[in-house]
Amino acid sequence: MTPPSARDLASHVTPVSPDTPCAEVFDRLLADPETRSIPVVRNGRPLGLISRKNFLLTYVRMYGAELYGRRPVAQLMERDVLIVDANTSCEEINVRARNAFGDMRMRPFVVTENGVYAGIGNAEQLMMVIADLATARAAELEEQTRRAEAASASKTQFLASMSHELRTPLNAIIGFADLMRLKTLGEMQPPRYGEYVEDIHKSGVHLLNMINELLDMAKIESGHVELRETVFYPLDVGLEVLRMLRQSMVEAHLQLRVDVADGLPPIHADQQQIRRILINLLSNAIKYTPAGGTVTLSVCICEEGDGCGVEGMLLTVEDTGIGIPGDKLEKVLEPFEQVENSFTRTRAGTGLGLALTKAMVEAHGGRLWLESEVGKGTRAHALLPPSRIVREEMARRRAG
C-alpha cells in the first residue's frame, strides 16, 4: 500500500484575504462551529492561519470587538504556519512539523499545489496515519525477522548436514592416501605416483579443515556451543600448539618468539577450544606474514591497577605481517570476511578463522580484539576473564 501524502489529508476550507475584517471572520466562526482553522490567502498564496481558539480568545475579551472588528484579519492570524506541497509524504510532514514546532501539540498545516493553496491538513488525522504506518511496518519487520531466522536456521541445518555428508568420504580419501604415502603395503610404481598421493593427502586435509570450520560456525550460529571445562595449564597447551605449527613456521621462513610470564597459573576452561584459539591466531599470523617476519606469542596475567587496562589472562599473538586497515578491524571478525589485497588473494581459506576464534573466546566470557597498522603487523588479543584463573594455585606459586 502506498503511504498517503499531504493531498490525501487536505480538506478544502474557503480561505479569506488578509484584508478581510476581523468582524466578518468572527461571524463566520460563530456560524460554523466545526471550523477550527481558516487559511489566509492572497492571490492563491497562503500567508497564515486563523486559529479558532486563539482568534476567539482575543476577539471576545473586553474591548476585543471594538479594537479588532474593523481591522484586517492579518493582525490576528498566525504566521508561523507549516506549508507543504500536496505530494509531500505524511512521514516527511511529521518530521518537518516536529522540527518546526518541537514537542508541542501539532498544529494544522497548509497544503499547496504548485505553490497555490489547496486545503488544510488535519493534525489528528496525520497522527493516526503515522501510527498506522508504524504499526504496519512493525508487523512487516517482525515478519521479515521471522523469515530471516527461519532461513538462517535452514542454512545452519543444511551446513551441518552437508558437512557430515562430506566428511565421511573425505576421511576415507585422507586415510587411503595416508596409507599409500607411508608405503604401508609396499612401494608404489612408478615412484612419481608418490607425489600425486602426497598432493591428494594435503588437499584432503585442507578441505576437511575448511568443512570443520563451516560445521563449527553452523553450531555456533545455532547456539549449540558446549564447553567441556577442565583445569589445565595454558602454557602446556601453548607449547603443544607451537610444536604442531613448527613446520609451518620453517616453511614460511618466519622467526618465533615466546614471552610467557613466570608462574603462570592453570585455568578452568575448555582445553580443546583454547587450543583452537591459539592455533587459529598463530595460523593467521603465519598465513599473513611474509618470509623473514616474526610471530610472537605472549601470555600474561593482567591485574587491576597494573596499567594493562584489562583484567584476566591475556593471550596475545603479534606478527610483523601485512597489517589490517583501521576500517576493517571489526569487519574481519565477522564470518567469511577477509582483508583483500594482492598478498591475501594467494592465501586460501573460508574466512571463518577469526570469527570462530571470537565466538570461542566469548563463549568463555572473554573478549577478542585486534590492533593493527598496515605494513607493520597485527596484534590479536584474547582475554579470558579473571573467573577462569584458578586463584588458589596462583597464590600458592607466589607464596612459594
Side-chain angles (χ1 to χ4, degrees):
M1 182 184 71
T2 304
S5 63
R7 182 182 291 103
D8 301 314
L9 301 182
S11 299
H12 186 78
V13 177
T14 303
V16 296
S17 163
D19 301 322
T20 303
C22 290
E24 184 177 326
V25 174
F26 176 71
D27 292 340
R28 177 176 166 181
L29 290 173
L30 287 183
D32 186 4
E34 298 300 320
T35 300
R36 297 184 180 183
S37 301
I38 300 176
V40 180
V41 176
R42 185 191 296 278
N43 298 325
R45 305 290 176 176
L47 303 176
L49 276 179
I50 298 296
S51 166
R52 180 186 188 89
K53 178 181 178 181
N54 295 337
F55 179 89
L56 292 179
L57 285 175
T58 301
Y59 197 80
V60 301
R61 67 183 181 181
M62 185 177 292
Y63 305 120
E66 288 80 0
L67 288 173
Y68 295 105
R70 296 183 180 181
R71 295 184 181 182
V73 75
Q75 293 190 6
L76 295 184
M77 74 177 181
E78 298 178 3
R79 299 179 184 274
D80 57 336
V81 177
L82 179 63
I83 301 174
V84 299
D85 186 82
N87 295 320
T88 306
S89 69
C90 290
E91 291 170 301
E92 185 178 343
I93 298 171
N94 186 43
V95 171
R96 288 179 57 184
R98 290 186 179 279
N99 290 338
F101 307 125
D103 294 330
M104 296 173 58
R105 183 179 179 184
M106 190 172 176
R107 310 175 189 181
F109 52 92
V110 178
V111 180
T112 61
E113 288 267 13
N114 299 320
V116 178
Y117 168 74
I120 293 180
N122 183 283
E124 288 77 7
Q125 189 178 0
L126 174 63
M127 290 297 97
M128 290 176 63
V129 169
I130 295 297
D132 289 343
L133 283 174
T135 301
R137 284 180 179 168
E140 182 181 356
L141 179 60
E142 184 177 352
E143 176 63 17
Q144 290 177 349
T145 302
R146 185 192 66 77
R147 291 180 180 176
E149 290 174 349
S152 178
S154 298
K155 179 202 70 175
T156 300
Q157 182 61 40
F158 172 77
L159 283 175
S161 299
M162 286 303 298
S163 297
H164 283 296
E165 292 292 330
L166 290 170
R167 284 202 300 180
T168 300
L170 261 178
N171 282 325
I173 293 171
I174 293 170
F176 284 119
D178 201 35
L179 190 71
M180 288 186 286
R181 77 187 184 93
L182 295 176
K183 304 175 183 178
T184 305
L185 301 178
E187 294 289 336
M188 281 187 293
Q189 294 298 331
R192 188 179 180 89
Y193 283 157
E195 298 178 16
Y196 301 153
V197 170
E198 192 70 34
D199 289 340
I200 292 171
H201 182 268
K202 286 182 179 180
S203 299
V205 170
H206 177 67
L207 185 55
L208 182 60
N209 288 335
M210 294 177 66
I211 291 172
N212 286 335
E213 286 187 349
L214 288 171
L215 182 59
D216 289 339
M217 182 55 68
K219 288 180 180 178
I220 288 170
E221 289 186 341
S222 63
H224 296 153
V225 180
E226 296 180 2
L227 297 180
R228 298 179 180 179
E229 300 178 348
T230 58
V231 175
F232 61 93
Y233 286 94
L235 178 57
D236 295 340
V237 176
L239 293 176
E240 177 190 344
V241 170
L242 291 176
R243 285 193 296 271
M244 292 170 55
L245 297 176
R246 180 181 291 119
Q247 186 61 32
S248 297
M249 296 282 292
V250 172
E251 292 176 357
H253 303 288
L254 301 176
Q255 291 184 342
L256 172 65
R257 292 179 182 171
V258 180
D259 181 12
V260 179
D262 294 333
L264 203 65
I267 58 175
H268 184 255
D270 186 319
Q271 186 171 346
Q272 179 62 23
Q273 288 204 12
I274 297 301
R275 182 182 293 107
R276 287 285 302 279
I277 289 169
L278 290 173
I279 290 174
N280 287 350
L281 293 181
L282 285 165
S283 297
N284 224 47
I286 295 170
K287 184 178 180 180
Y288 295 115
T289 302
T294 302
V295 174
T296 303
L297 170 65
S298 59
V299 187
C300 65
I301 299 295
C302 296
E303 301 282 7
E304 185 177 358
D306 63 4
C308 288
V310 294
E311 189 176 0
M313 180 172 287
L314 186 64
L315 314 173
T316 301
V317 174
E318 183 176 358
D319 64 61
T320 58
I322 60 174
I324 304 171
D327 60 343
K328 302 286 187 180
L329 285 175
E330 292 297 326
K331 191 174 183 181
V332 295
L333 295 176
E334 299 175 4
F336 308 106
E337 292 291 345
Q338 293 176 316
V339 179
E340 189 68 22
N341 60 35
S342 58
F343 184 78
T344 61
R345 283 193 202 96
T346 64
R347 270 58 179 173
T350 60
L352 290 174
L354 285 175
L356 286 169
T357 304
K358 178 174 181 285
M360 288 185 283
V361 173
E362 291 176 348
H364 284 82
R367 181 164 65 95
L368 176 73
W369 72 96
L370 304 176
E371 297 175 348
S372 187
E373 188 173 347
V374 175
K376 293 188 176 181
T378 301
R379 288 183 300 277
H381 302 283
L383 179 70
L384 299 176
S387 59
R388 293 286 172 184
I389 302 172
V390 181
R391 295 286 178 178
E392 295 80 2
E393 178 66 17
M394 187 176 177
R396 186 185 69 78
R397 288 197 170 197
R398 284 180 175 175

